[in-house]
Amino acid sequence: MLMADGVGVLDAVDAPAVQTVLETDPVGNVYVAARLRSVGFEARRLGAELWGYAGEGGRLESLCFSGANLIPVCTTPAASQAFARRALRHARACSSIVGREAAVEELWDHLRATWSPARDVRTGQPLLVISSPPEVPADPAVRRVVLSEVDTLLPACVAMYNEEVGVSPIGRDGGAAYRARICDLVAGGCSYARIEGGEVIFKAEIGAVAANVCQVQGVWVTPRLRGRGVGAAGMASVINAAFRYVAPVVSLYVNAHNVAARRAYERVGFSSAGTLMSVLF
């Protein structure tokens, strides 16, 4: 661990200690755990640095994933302050701060004066979890997407991103990077959809996979069929597939204002695992 302002940049040598921290909240920490599990600690492959903060006795107690997302993990007040000092040493590079609500709120309090204004601040985002069979029938038409269907799937992914994030994922590269991300998910067997006559009716991805938990993302239903139970039935299919092939616990998070989605997830059988907060730039 390379120490600077009380913060260290972690590497593979620190893996056991990192794992101990991540295991204190496997549902809340699934994204960071999944990235490390997939590519390891090397910054170029990880697309980020993993910062650590040691408490009394030199024991690692808090983490911060610093990449396109800034994600505080199990932070203490002292760790939040130290992570903020390190983040402020350079111009902001992240597009969001996301994580457990209390941790993000505390970190944002230290960064707000320099990094404001944020494009959006989303508080009270329900983090949901399910580990038992869905309580609604699964849609038998939902299946894994294959690579030959990427161009059919892509417009639905773009529409979902626009609705969820509030900006387009199509960058200066004409969408090449976003398309590559979708291709990776499809090639990895992580993308599920109901496709009829060349139209995507429902779609979702299993976007993060750790040892015993996975996280579903990108849930979307074509607007003309919303409110008819399509999303709940589709989610039941994705959950069943996740239980069969991926992990025994499935999680997701949703915006607090998305009442329709929250009700659908409740019908499926999800329960609360706390709240997250997102600061979007």
Side-chain angles (χ1 to χ4, degrees):
M1 183 188 296
L2 304 175
M3 300 305 297
D5 294 331
V7 176
V9 178
L10 307 180
D11 58 28
V13 174
D14 302 295
V18 169
Q19 186 64 23
T20 297
V21 174
L22 293 173
E23 286 176 353
T24 63
D25 181 13
V27 173
N29 299 335
V30 62
Y31 178 82
V32 175
R35 290 294 296 158
L36 294 172
R37 183 177 187 236
S38 175
V39 302
F41 285 76
E42 199 274 313
R44 183 182 59 82
R45 297 188 65 212
L46 189 62
E49 289 183 337
L50 185 66
W51 302 340
Y53 181 85
E56 292 184 9
R59 181 178 61 85
L60 183 68
E61 63 181 23
S62 300
L63 308 171
C64 188
F65 182 94
S66 177
N69 305 307
L70 193 66
I71 306 174
V73 174
C74 301
T75 49
T76 63
S80 292
Q81 190 170 37
F83 290 146
R85 283 198 303 267
R86 186 175 186 93
L88 291 172
R89 287 165 56 188
H90 305 284
R92 177 182 61 79
C94 64
S95 60
S96 70
I97 309 171
V98 62
R100 286 285 185 183
E101 186 164 23
V104 172
E105 186 173 31
E106 190 168 55
L107 185 59
W108 180 230
D109 281 345
H110 294 300
L111 298 171
R112 187 194 316 266
T114 304
W115 284 7
S116 287
R119 180 171 56 83
D120 196 4
V121 177
R122 300 178 180 180
T123 60
Q125 296 175 295
L127 176 62
L128 306 175
V129 65
I130 187 169
S131 57
S132 57
E135 296 177 6
V136 300
D139 183 349
V142 171
R143 56 171 176 78
R144 278 178 171 163
V145 180
V146 297
L147 278 172
S148 62
E149 297 173 310
V150 166
D151 288 334
T152 300
L153 180 68
L154 191 59
C157 295
V158 172
M160 178 282 304
Y161 195 100
N162 279 324
E163 291 179 27
E164 178 68 19
V165 182
V167 296
S168 174
I170 306 302
R172 295 179 180 177
D173 62 358
Y178 187 66
R179 189 181 191 280
R181 168 61 177 160
I182 301 304
C183 285
D184 286 345
L185 289 167
V186 171
C190 299
S191 179
Y192 289 81
R194 174 180 168 185
I195 301 174
E196 295 180 353
E199 179 188 11
V200 176
I201 304 300
F202 164 88
K203 74 144 200 98
E205 294 86 41
I206 301 175
V209 179
N212 295 303
V213 184
C214 65
Q215 187 176 85
V216 175
Q217 64 183 35
V219 182
W220 184 85
V221 175
T222 186
R224 68 181 181 83
L225 294 178
R226 292 176 184 174
R228 301 186 186 183
V230 172
M235 277 302 306
S237 297
V238 174
I239 291 164
N240 287 337
F243 287 165
R244 189 176 304 118
Y245 302 117
V246 183
V249 178
V250 178
S251 72
L252 57 78
Y253 68 97
V254 60
N255 286 322
H257 64 262
N258 194 342
V259 176
R262 293 172 62 181
R263 288 175 177 167
Y265 296 142
E266 184 178 355
R267 290 198 303 274
V268 171
F270 279 94
S271 60
S272 174
T275 57
L276 304 186
M277 176 175 168
S278 300
V279 180
L280 308 179
F281 300 102

